[in-house]
């Protein structure tokens, strides 16, 4: 045999023993229609036949990851930190971080597979044997219906999660309660237009085409992008009474021993959030989430000093350093990053250590596929001040079927399972399931990114 043929044959053998010679050869993307906005999964391919899997944040454009391809091909994926530093400048807050974070997850998956160890071991080893999950539910009767559930019914759903082993709970979308007639006041013209945009989104969610859904969400986005101080909407005493009564009735079903967090309050300014927080003090809540835009450090500090409640934020924040102003001001009790926005696995672990320095705990936002959930579980396994990881896939019974690998079941008795399998524990993705729940119905679900192979720019940030 010619030596060149011998070398080429070795390149196609999954030896897992030549990590120093491992090289990225391709990046591919596929779409999965997980509610509410769908997500893009990525696959990094290598010269040794092993693949690493990552995921972009829900609702994130795949362009954010495609533009990174020419900066990654030919690189050794085991050099995770160096490659992250090479591409981190192309990430930004919220969904703008999607490409960088997806790649970072896939790099860790490849490094673990190359060395034959689980990702958590590469991060320094275990702090825990299992990862606590928190179960959440909407107070809306189904997604995008606009119909409120009775609080006792919400309590029964949560009680069912408790019976399955979940030991921390969360309810979402209480802004729907506050949006009921008489519960808020504000510019009547603006409120009428907002309600019409919300109604249109709900209508097309049931009967509209993909284009109609996209257009309706774009119109609603123009309202939702207005930050809390600028909406000039306020909560009435009637609204505060109804919110307080609603949470009391939920607590009457689930009791007061289980931690309960609340998310999605709506875009009200600081004085109204203070009123809400004070009304909810007596319910011993695990945290109130994202009550204000995360950039408003002084307002968060004022809110924290005005009510005896735990505050959490962070799912839209990129890089650990972005959290430090809030932490240094003593403005939050819980950092709540999403691993697909915060910078990926290692950056989120660094955030946990930073939060611990300021006496804050870490819970993790998770509204995505098993790929990101496993990545977050590995990070949580290796993080000292971790509290709980979100689980939000109860209405997608096929969720676990997206991956093929030894981590089954992924969720057991309210905890995420992490095995000693190499990398993230993903052997491959189930293309049949992706095809059933994605836009590509025939052929390979993995979309080529070859048009980005030669994309170049002068990326240096200094002279």
């Amino acid at each position: 045999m010619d030596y060149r043929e011998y070398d080429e044959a070795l390149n196609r053998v999954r030896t897992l023993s030549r990590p120093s010679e491992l090289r990225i050869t391709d990046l591919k993307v596929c779409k999965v229609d997980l509610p509410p906005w769908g997500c893009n999964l990525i696959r990094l391919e290598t010269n040794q036949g092993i693949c690493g899997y990552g995921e972009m944040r829900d609702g994130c454009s795949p362009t954010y990851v495609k533009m990174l391809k020419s900066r990654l091909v030919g690189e050794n994926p085991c050099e995770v930190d160096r490659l992250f530093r090479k591409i981190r400048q192309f990430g930004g807050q919220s969904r703008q971080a999607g490409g960088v974070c997806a790649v970072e997850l896939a790099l860790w998956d490849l490094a673990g597979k190359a060395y034959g160890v689980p990702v958590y071991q590469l991060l320094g080893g275990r702090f825990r044997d299992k990862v606590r999950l928190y179960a959440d539910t909407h107070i809306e009767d189904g997604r995008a219906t606009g119909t409120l559930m009775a609080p006792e019914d919400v309590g029964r759903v949560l009680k069912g999660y408790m019976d399955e082993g979940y030991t921390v709970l969360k309810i979402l979308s209480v802004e729907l309660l506050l949006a009921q007639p008489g519960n808020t006041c504000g510019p009547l013209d603006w409120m009428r237009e907002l309600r019409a945009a919300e109604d249109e989104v709900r209508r097309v969610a049931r009967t509209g085409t993909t284009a109609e859904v996209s257009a309706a969400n774009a119109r609603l986005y123009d309202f939702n992008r207005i930050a809390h101080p600028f909406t000039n909407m306020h909560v009435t005493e009637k609204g505060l009474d109804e919110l307080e009564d609603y949470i009391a009735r939920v607590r009457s079903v689930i009791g007061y021993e289980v931690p309960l967090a609340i998310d999605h309050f709506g875009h009200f300014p600081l004085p109204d959030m203070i009123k809400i927080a004070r009304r909810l003090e007596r319910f011993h809540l695990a945290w109130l989430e994202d009550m204000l835009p995360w950039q408003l450090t002084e307002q968060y500090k004022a809110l924290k000093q005005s009510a005896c409640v735990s505050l959490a934020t962070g799912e839209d924040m990129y890089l650990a350093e972005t959290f430090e102003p809030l932490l240094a001001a003593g403005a939050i009790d819980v950092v709540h990053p999403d691993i697909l926005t915060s910078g990926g696995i290692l950056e989120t672990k660094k955030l946990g250590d930073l939060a611990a320095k300021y006496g804050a705990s870490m819970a993790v936002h998770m509204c995505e596929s098993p790929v990101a959930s496993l990545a977050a579980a590995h990070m949580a396994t290796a993080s000292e001040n971790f509290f709980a990881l979100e689980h939000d896939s109860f209405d997608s019974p096929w969720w676990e079927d997206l991956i093929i690998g030894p981590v089954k079941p992924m969720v057991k008795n309210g905890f995420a399972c992490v095995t000693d399998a190499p990398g993230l524990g993903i052997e491959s993705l189930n293309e049949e399931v992706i095809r059933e729940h994605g836009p590509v119905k025939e052929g390979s679900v993995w979309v080529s990114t070859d048009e980005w192979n030669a994309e170049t720019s002068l990326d240096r940030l200094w002279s």
Side-chain angles (χ1 to χ4, degrees), residues 400-420:
E400 283 199 10
D401 297 331
L402 278 169
I403 66 166
I404 297 171
V407 194
K408 294 290 182 72
M410 284 184 56
V411 175
K412 187 176 182 180
N413 299 326
F415 288 81
C417 302
V418 178
T419 72
D420 290 330

Side-chain angles (χ1 to χ4, degrees), residues 279-326:
R279 285 293 193 105
L280 298 179
E281 281 180 341
R282 69 186 182 93
F283 299 113
H284 307 288
L285 298 171
W287 66 78
L288 304 182
E289 185 174 325
D290 296 333
M291 297 194 80
L292 296 164
W294 61 263
Q295 303 93 330
L296 302 178
T297 300
E298 291 303 313
Q299 289 201 15
Y300 260 104
K301 183 177 178 181
L303 177 58
K304 178 62 185 171
Q305 292 173 342
S306 299
C308 189
V309 293
S310 292
L311 300 178
T313 194
E315 68 182 73
D316 297 314
M317 299 171 71
Y318 178 54
L319 303 179
E321 63 199 41
T322 308
F323 287 77
E324 191 151 19
L326 284 166

Side-chain angles (χ1 to χ4, degrees), residues 36 138 140-147 173 176 198-206 217:
H138 291 252
E140 190 176 13
D141 187 11
R143 292 185 188 258
T145 65
T147 303
S173 302
L176 286 173
E198 291 173 335
D199 290 342
E200 179 66 5
V201 167
R202 293 172 187 133
R203 184 189 70 79
V204 299
R206 296 189 297 271
N217 276 300

Side-chain angles (χ1 to χ4, degrees), residues 193-202 214-226:
E193 293 172 3
L194 170 62
R195 301 302 174 230
E198 291 173 335
D199 290 342
E200 179 66 5
V201 167
R202 293 172 187 133
S214 179
N217 276 300
R219 286 192 292 273
L220 182 58
Y221 176 76
D222 286 338
F223 289 94
N224 289 337
R225 67 183 296 274
I226 299 175

Side-chain angles (χ1 to χ4, degrees), residues 297 320 323-335 351 354-356 358-360:
T297 300
F323 287 77
E324 191 151 19
L326 284 166
L327 291 165
I332 55 175
D333 305 273
V334 180
V335 294
L351 169 60
L354 177 66
Y358 290 101

Side-chain angles (χ1 to χ4, degrees), residues 362-439:
M362 179 169 65
V364 180
H365 178 266
M366 178 55 54
C367 218
E368 290 101 18
S369 88
V371 176
S373 187
L374 278 172
H378 277 269
M379 184 282 304
T381 298
S383 296
E384 184 176 17
N385 70 331
F386 168 79
F387 174 42
L389 167 65
E390 183 172 10
H391 189 62
D392 184 50
S393 61
F394 295 103
D395 56 353
S396 300
W398 47 272
W399 184 79
E400 283 199 10
D401 297 331
L402 278 169
I403 66 166
I404 297 171
V407 194
K408 294 290 182 72
M410 284 184 56
V411 175
K412 187 176 182 180
N413 299 326
F415 288 81
C417 302
V418 178
T419 72
D420 290 330
L424 296 176
I426 302 171
E427 294 174 3
S428 62
L429 300 187
N430 190 329
E431 295 194 12
E432 289 303 314
V433 174
I434 294 172
R435 191 172 292 108
E436 182 181 355
H437 299 282

Side-chain angles (χ1 to χ4, degrees), residues 29 43 54 68 106 115 190 264 274 330 385 409:
V29 181
R43 184 172 74 187
L68 301 176
Y115 285 100
W190 189 84
H264 291 295
I274 291 175
N385 70 331

